Amino acid sequence: MLATRGDEAGALAAATSAAGALTTGGMCLHAAAARRRQGELLGGDGGRALVANASGWMQGQGKRDPDRITALYAPGFERGG
């Protein structure tokens, strides 16, 4: 919701925190979705690498559409609106 309100810094912090906590908690698919959101918000080469790594992990787990999985597991990060 933070990104939809224009608080991209807050959204990035939330996605980063969530990715770490979900990884620690063993919720790997949720963590990958959070890492994709983190990468989308970060942008640049580092952000693209996060998205690519998380997408690759999802595909390695048999998930054919990382975009849809991310929308399901980490909604509310869409910008502007």
Side-chain angles (χ1 to χ4, degrees):
M1 298 296 271
L2 294 168
T4 63
R5 295 182 186 144
D7 184 1
E8 291 193 16
L12 177 58
T16 302
S17 176
L22 291 163
T23 299
T24 299
M27 299 179 73
C28 298
L29 185 55
H30 290 80
R35 281 194 309 276
R36 286 189 87 244
R37 291 297 192 206
Q38 179 186 2
E40 291 168 359
L41 291 162
L42 184 61
D45 291 340
R48 282 188 291 278
L50 284 172
V51 171
N53 288 338
S55 295
W57 182 88
M58 287 181 181
Q59 291 168 335
Q61 298 299 306
K63 309 302 179 205
R64 290 184 281 182
D65 192 341
D67 288 333
R68 289 184 67 177
I69 294 294
T70 300
L72 177 66
Y73 283 83
F77 282 86
E78 293 76 15
R79 293 180 179 171

